Each structure stands twice: as structure tokens, then as C-alpha cells.
């Protein structure tokens, strides 16, 4: 719940920044560096907002973390010692600034349950979650673009209906259930993959990569289903544009027109949805990493919440928020790369 | 043999309210180096005719008849062959310069594209040729403008860029579908002059589509007046305008906007509207709006009457039409 609020709350902030001022700013002749600087300020502002929310929610959360960690049987003096160690006696404002200072300098404090620095914990877990998310988004994007283009090219013919049926299924099937189906088929029946766990990157690339294939597929399914529908309708819409007729009148084949003149124009809504999906994917990892017993960031935050490992929860949630804002920033950059009308020009 | 000969051309469109003909029974011929105008009100099938010649009609449309281009029937040609002809031997420019250029490619790249495809030029020589073409169509600083995005050009400049693109491969026929309708009046004249000059210099043939009789009268050798998807009158431009045989042509002429007309004076129009293609009348398509229509006009579409020297009009009441309107 907390995580949900933090991620989606912060995403709400980022999404609320209107898109058109970027174009207006650029058209007005503001420099690229000014543009970047403003986006960076937004980035910082969003992070500060997210950190305040996280901190406040954790402060007013009913239940003494020290008491919950140690159990109700705990001796009064052990409790007091832990409270002191956590710094719970100090005024909230001071604790907030200490925490932020730590975030800025990279000294994140210690995890109570693991008794290791939170920074180490996060870095270790990122080695699972980042490749997992990257694999899932690559897979879903490749699949969605291929299926969406194919369906649009076969508009109202069997191929189109087939893709749409797949998309409907992909959207309807819950990710965790699809994950279990994948495990049953590929791990239990066929034995091609292990049912879960992560061997680490120590034994080379392949074993680690292999163990992420099923989870990435489970994560990618719903995303690919949604994205292929977006791609299809966007491509169909662009195909009605006058410049597509111009391209055909120049003698381009259907296929070449689709690739050179339709696809790039159709990408804007696709990229928008992709950005949103990447944010969703981060929350998706919480479930999928638990299903596949992957030692990733999602599983870390899940366990940390259930164990009220306060420092870990705070830091990971702010990290999630930072990633979401960074993704939004990237999406804006991609818009400008795709569409020259959103770019700065010199006259 | 004519460069282009269109025989009994029809375009049948399937809509949600049934099928109908956007173009039917159309015949005309175009000699090499000649110019032909197609004129008529909005919705009478001018664009559909042009798109049919390129075999680029919408998916719900079917083409009938023959389109003999240099002896080859384009109505029967396969897609691969059509891709060799489009943009290469028959090129087209459209009404909307604002939306007819792709916003995500520079105009240089868009002009270079047919050159690389049809002429096999490499990127560098295609670019050099694009600069030369931009210069030829009167875009200042072509060397710099070649890297502009479409949104950086004015409407007139975009239409010039479209013309450069259409001319790039030196086509035999240029199809211009209302190339100036979307432009400012002052720019319209410049673009028409440019097209006229280019056609004269290169010796290519031109099919100019317009709903402006004045433009047609000044620009083309022969004229086809279309209504309800059919040619109601056709012939050498001078004879068509001297004769004004068909009541519809007369109506168009009376309704043409004239310079110097008092601002307060209302433009004369032909009463009524163009019939919907899914329920075209059995007889003459214009009968419903024609002051001279009699019962016979509503029975079957009238056949073209030869008026001599290549001039013809499809009307049963040509004699009555010759009398001045009461
Ligand atoms: N895609 C389509 N589906 C159904 N009907 C169409 C379609 N495109 C055009 N039509 C119909 O075909 C007829 C001829 O249209 P066309 O575009 O050729 O007219 P036009 O003479 O070029 O008119 P304008 O001066 O407005 O360009 C019209 O009745 C129009 O409504
Ligand atoms: Mg038209």
C-alpha cells in the first residue's frame, strides 16, 4: 500500500507536468541546457515530494518498529536500546534531514533484518531486478511492435483477428498465474528451466540470463498484449495520413511505406505507454520475484515491508520513485528524438 | 497513340450505406506534352479519378475500365509494376501541402527518396539533386533549406517542395490535384505559374484538377467538366469556354468568383447539392438541379453529343441550353 502510494503518487506528479510546455519552451528559443535544467529541477522536486510522503507515512504508521522487530515479549531495556539505535528518540525533522543527507552522500544506514548496509543490499538486488526489467521491456516491445505492425498490415483479416485475440488473452490473464503456467510447462513438464531461484552472475552470463527468461516472459505478456494493441491502432491511424499517400505516390511499396513513413510517426503513443509500463513493471517485479524466488529489489521491498525493516523500505521506495521519474525524463527525450517538431531548432 | 488513354473508367466504392460509383464511364485521352484540366464541384469524383490513374484508390474502392499508359493497361498492372511507375513516370501533387509531407523526415530526404529508388542514385548525389530541384522550384537558399523539416516551411514553400519531389524523376505525366486550393490567393498564382513553366520546360503532360474555372481556362489545352462521377462536357478548353454547352458548365461559369466583385454582392451558386454516390439518380445526375430538365432526362444518363472539333456534351437539352436564361 505504502509502495503503491509512493510509486503511483510520484508518478502522478510526474505525469501532471504537462507535455506541451516543452514544445512551447523550445519554440520560444530557450536553450537545450535550460530545458534540461528545468527537467532536472522537476526531477529533484518529485524526489523530495516522494521522500516526504514516504517519511511521513512511516512516521505515522501505527506500531513501534522496535517493538515489532523484537516481538511483544521483548525486554524494556532491549527495546530502548533498539529505539536509540534507530534514532527514534530524536525529533522527526532532524531524522528526516539525516536520512536525506545519507541518501545524498550514499551512506544509507543499516538494514535491521540483514544487518548489512542498505546500500550494499540494494546494489546486490539491482543486479537481478535491472536485468529482469530490461529483458521484460525488450521482449514486450519487440513482440508488441512486430504483432502491432503485422495486425495493422492485415487490418480486418484473419491475422489481425489472431493478434487481437492474443492481446485480449494477454490482458485478461493475471501475471502471477501465467508465471505458474510457465513454470508448470517449462520447468516441471519439459525441464528446460529451473522453477525459480537465481544463481548469480558469478558463473558467467548464461546461467543468470537463463534463470530470468521465465520471469521476464511472465512480466512481458500483459505489457506486450497492451502495447501491441496500442501499436496496431496507432499504425492504423497514421496509415490514413496524407503523407502516407504521398509516399505511395512516390512509388514506395506497402512494406517500405510502413517502415519508413508509418512506423516512426506511430511510435509517439507507443513510447508514452511504454514509459507507463516500465513504471508498472517495477511494481510487477514484486509479485514475479516472489513467485520465482528471485533475490531482487521487488522481493527485498516485499520482505522489508513485512518485517518492518524501516531503513530498507524508505530507501527502496525512494529509489523506485527516482526510477519512475527518470523513466519519464527519458520518455520526454525520446519524444524529441522521434518528432523534430518537439526539438529545438536554430531559427 | 496517346500517352494516356482512359476508357470507360469507373471507381466503385463500398460504403456502410451500400456501394456506389464515384466515377463512371469516363473517357479521355492525353497526348505527350499536352495539358488537361478536370473541373467540377466538390465531391464530383475528380480526386477519385486522379487516384484511380495512380491505382491508389482507398481499400473499399474498385476500379473498372482501362487506363492505357504508353500502351500498357495500368488497370491490370500488378503492384510491383505500379511501384515502378508511380513517382517515376506518373507523379502526383496533392491539395494539402500542410499534411502531405512527412513531419519526421527532412524535405531533402523526402525529395531524395524517389531518386534513390527509381534512379538508383546514392545518398550524396540524391541530395545534390534535391538541392538543385529545390532551387528550380524557387525555394531560396536551397542548400540550407534541404535540411529543413516540413514544419519549418510555409504552405507555399511546402507545396514547392512537393512539386520538387514530384518532378524529381522527370515524370511523363504530372497529376496536380487542386495544388493551390489550400494556399493564399497571392501564392496560388505563383504556384500555378511555376507548374506552367515546369510543364513547358520539361515537355511533360499535365492533368490539372481544380474547381476553379478561371484556373482551368488559363492553364490547360483541353478540359473535362465532371459531375456525379461522369464527364458532362469535354473538349479543347477554348471551345468549351466559348460554347458552355452543358447547363452544368453554364452554372459553374455563372457561379465563378470574379475579381472586383462588390464585397456585399453574394456569390451566385447552383441551387441544390451534388447527389450522394450511393443513390445516384437513374438518369442525368444533374437533372435534380437543372432548370431545363424534362422527364426524358430522368430515365437514362444521356450519351455525349458531338459538337464538332473534339467538343462534346452529355445533355438532351443542348438546344434549350443555348438560349439565354430567362
Ligand atoms: N474513402 C471513401 N469512402 C467512401 N466514399 C468516398 C471516399 N472517398 C471519396 N468518397 C466519395 O467519392 C465521391 C468523389 O470524391 P472525390 O474526392 O473524388 O471528389 P472531388 O471531386 O475530388 O471533390 P473535392 O473538390 O472536394 O476534392 C464523393 O461523393 C465522396 O464522398
Ligand atoms: Mg478532391
Amino acid at each position: 500500500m505504502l509502495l503503491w502510494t509512493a510509486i503511483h503518487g510520484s508518478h502522478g506528479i510526474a505525469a501532471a507536468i504537462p507535455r506541451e510546455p516543452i514544445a512551447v519552451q523550445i519554440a520560444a528559443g530557450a536553450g537545450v541546457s535550460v530545458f534540461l535544467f528545468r527537467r532536472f529541477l522537476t526531477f529533484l522536486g518529485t524526489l523530495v515530494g516522494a521522500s516526504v510522503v514516504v517519511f511521513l507515512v512511516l512516521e505515522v504508521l501505527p506500531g513501534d518498529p522496535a517493538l515489532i522487530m523484537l516481538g511483544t515479549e521483548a525486554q524494556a531495556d532491549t527495546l530502548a536500546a533498539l529505539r536509540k539505535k534507530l534514532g527514534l528518540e530524536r525529533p522527526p525533522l532532524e531524522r528526516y534531514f539525516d536520512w536525506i543527507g545519507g541518501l545524498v552522500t550514499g551512506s544509507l544506514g543499516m538494514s535491521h533484518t540483514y544487518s548489512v548496509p542498505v546500500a550494499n543490499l540494494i546494489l546486490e538486488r539491482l543486479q537481478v531486478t535491472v536485468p529482469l526489467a530490461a529483458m521484460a521491456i525488450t521482449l514486450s516491445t519487440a513482440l508488441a511492435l512486430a504483432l502491432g505492425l503485422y495486425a495493422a498490415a492485415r487490418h480486418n483479416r484473419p491475422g489481425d483477428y489472431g493478434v487481437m485475440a492474443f492481446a485480449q488473452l494477454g490482458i485478461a490473464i493475471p501475471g502471477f498465474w501465467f508465471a505458474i503456467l510457465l513454470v508448470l510447462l517449462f520447468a516441471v513438464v519439459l525441464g528446460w528451466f529451473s522453477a525459480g531461484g537465481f544463481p548469480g552472475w558469478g558463473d558467467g552470463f548464461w546461467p543468470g540470463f537463463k534463470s530470468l527468461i521465465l520471469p521476464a516472459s511472465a512480466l512481458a505478456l500483459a505489457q506486450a498484449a497492451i502495447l501491441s494493441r496500442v501499436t496496431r491502432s496507432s499504425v492504423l491511424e497514421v496509415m490514413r495520413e496524407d503523407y502516407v499517400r504521398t509516399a505511395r505516390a512516390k512509388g514506395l511499396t506497402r512494406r517500405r511505406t510502413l517502415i519508413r513513413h508509418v512506423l516512426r510517426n506511430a511510435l509517439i503513443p507507443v513510447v508514452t505507454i511504454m514509459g507507463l509500463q516500465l513504471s508498472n513493471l517495477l511494481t510487477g517485479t514484486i509479485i514475479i520475484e516472489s513467485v520465482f524466488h528471485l533475490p531482487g529489489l521487488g522481493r527485498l521491498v516485499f520482505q522489508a515491508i513485512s518485517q518492518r525493516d524501516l531503513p530498507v523500505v524508505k530507501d527502496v521506495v525512494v529509489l523506485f520513485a527516482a526510477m519512475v521519474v527518470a523513466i519519464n525524463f527519458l520518455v520526454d527525450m525520446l519524444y524529441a528524438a522521434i518528432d523534430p517538431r518537439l526539438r529545438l531548432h536554430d531559427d | 497513340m496517346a500517352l494516356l488513354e482512359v476508357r470507360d473508367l469507373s471507381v466503385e466504392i463500398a460504403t456502410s450505406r451500400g456501394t456506389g460509383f464515384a466515377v463512371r464511364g469516363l473517357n479521355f485521352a492525353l497526348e505527350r506534352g499536352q495539358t488537361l484540366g478536370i473541373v467540377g464541384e466538390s465531391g464530383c469524383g475528380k480526386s477519385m479519378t486522379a487516384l484511380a490513374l495512380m491505382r491508389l484508390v482507398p481499400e473499399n474502392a474498385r476500379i473498372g475500365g482501362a487506363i492505357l499508359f504508353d500502351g500498357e493497361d495500368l488497370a491490370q498492372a500488378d503492384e510491383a509494376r505500379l511501384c515502378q511507375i508511380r513517382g517515376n513516370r506518373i507523379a502526383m501533387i496533392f491539395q494539402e501541402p500542410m499534411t502531405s509531407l512527412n513531419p519526421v523526415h527532412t524535405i531533402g530526404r523526402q525529395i531524395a527518396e524517389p531518386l534513390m529508388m527509381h534512379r538508383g542514385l546514392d545518398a550524396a548525389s540524391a541530395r545534390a539533386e534535391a538541392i538543385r530541384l529545390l532551387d528550380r522550384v524557387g525555394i531560396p537558399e536551397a542548400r540550407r533549406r534541404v535540411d529543413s523539416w516540413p514544419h519549418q516551411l510555409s504552405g507555399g514553400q511546402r507545396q514547392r517542395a512537393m512539386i520538387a519531389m514530384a518532378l524529381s524523376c522527370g515524370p511523363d505525366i504530372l497529376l496536380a490535384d487542386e495544388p493551390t486550393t489550400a494556399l493564399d490567393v497571392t501564392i496560388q498564382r505563383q504556384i500555378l505559374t511555376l507548374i506552367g513553366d515546369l510543364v513547358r520546360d520539361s515537355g511533360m503532360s499535365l492533368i490539372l484538377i481544380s474547381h476553379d474555372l478561371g484556373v482551368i481556362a488559363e492553364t490547360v489545352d483541353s478540359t473535362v467538366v465532371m459531375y456525379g462521377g461522369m464527364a458532362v462536357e469535354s473538349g479543347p478548353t477554348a471551345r468549351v469556354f466559348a460554347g458552355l454547352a452543358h447547363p452544368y458548365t453554364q452554372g459553374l461559369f455563372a457561379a465563378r468568383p470574379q475579381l472586383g466583385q462588390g464585397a456585399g454582392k453574394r456569390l451566385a451558386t447552383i441551387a441544390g447539392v451534388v447527389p450522394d454516390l450511393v443513390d445516384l439518380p437513374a438518369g442525368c445526375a444533374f437533372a435534380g438541379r437543372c432548370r431545363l430538365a424534362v422527364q426524358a432526362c430522368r430515365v437514362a444518363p444521356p450519351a455525349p453529343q458531338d459538337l464538332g472539333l473534339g467538343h462534346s456534351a452529355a445533355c438532351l437539352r443542348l438546344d434549350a441550353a443555348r438560349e439565354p436564361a430567362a
Side-chain angles (χ1 to χ4, degrees), chain B residues 47 95 177-178:
Chain B
S47 297
Q95 178 171 342
D177 186 359
E178 309 209 29

Side-chain angles (χ1 to χ4, degrees), chain B residues 13-15 21-23 40-49 58 60 95 177-178 209 211 274-277:
Chain B
I13 301 188
T15 70
F21 285 92
V23 178
E41 282 172 293
S42 187
C44 64
K46 306 182 297 292
S47 297
M48 217 39 91
T49 302
N60 55 347
Q95 178 171 342
D177 186 359
E178 309 209 29
I209 292 174
H211 57 243
V274 179
D276 191 2
L277 65 92

Side-chain angles (χ1 to χ4, degrees), chain B residues 19-167:
Chain B
T19 62
F21 285 92
V23 178
R24 43 193 182 140
L26 192 64
N27 294 290
F28 64 82
L30 179 66
E31 301 293 336
R32 195 176 284 276
Q34 262 215 324
T35 58
L36 175 97
I38 301 179
V39 66
E41 282 172 293
S42 187
C44 64
K46 306 182 297 292
S47 297
M48 217 39 91
T49 302
L51 290 174
L53 300 182
M54 296 286 269
R55 287 277 307 275
L56 283 176
V57 292
E59 291 213 334
N60 55 347
R62 232 183 41 224
I63 295 174
I67 304 163
L68 299 172
F69 172 64
D70 228 355
E72 180 182 0
D73 187 1
L74 297 186
Q76 307 297 329
D78 65 12
E79 185 63 22
R81 176 68 185 138
L82 290 167
C83 284
Q84 292 173 347
I85 291 175
R86 291 182 193 131
N88 185 18
R89 304 202 53 201
I90 306 180
M92 185 160 180
I93 51 184
F94 299 96
Q95 178 171 342
E96 287 293 336
M98 291 301 176
T99 54
S100 293
L101 288 165
N102 191 328
V104 305
H105 293 302
T106 62
I107 56 164
R109 276 185 66 179
Q110 297 189 57
I111 297 171
E113 203 169 22
L115 287 165
M116 294 168 72
M117 200 168 36
H118 297 302
R119 291 277 172 268
L121 297 190
D122 59 50
S125 26
R127 183 186 153 87
E129 182 65 10
I131 294 173
R132 195 191 65 76
L133 285 161
L134 282 175
D135 194 54
R136 177 67 191 89
V137 297
I139 290 196
E141 295 183 84
R143 200 163 293 282
R144 197 168 66 82
R145 280 306 192 183
V146 71
D147 293 319
S148 300
W149 304 99
H151 71 267
Q152 294 171 317
L153 304 184
S154 68
Q157 284 180 322
R158 284 187 219 195
Q159 197 59 298
R160 286 176 195 270
M162 279 295 296
I163 294 170
M165 200 152 66
L167 289 177

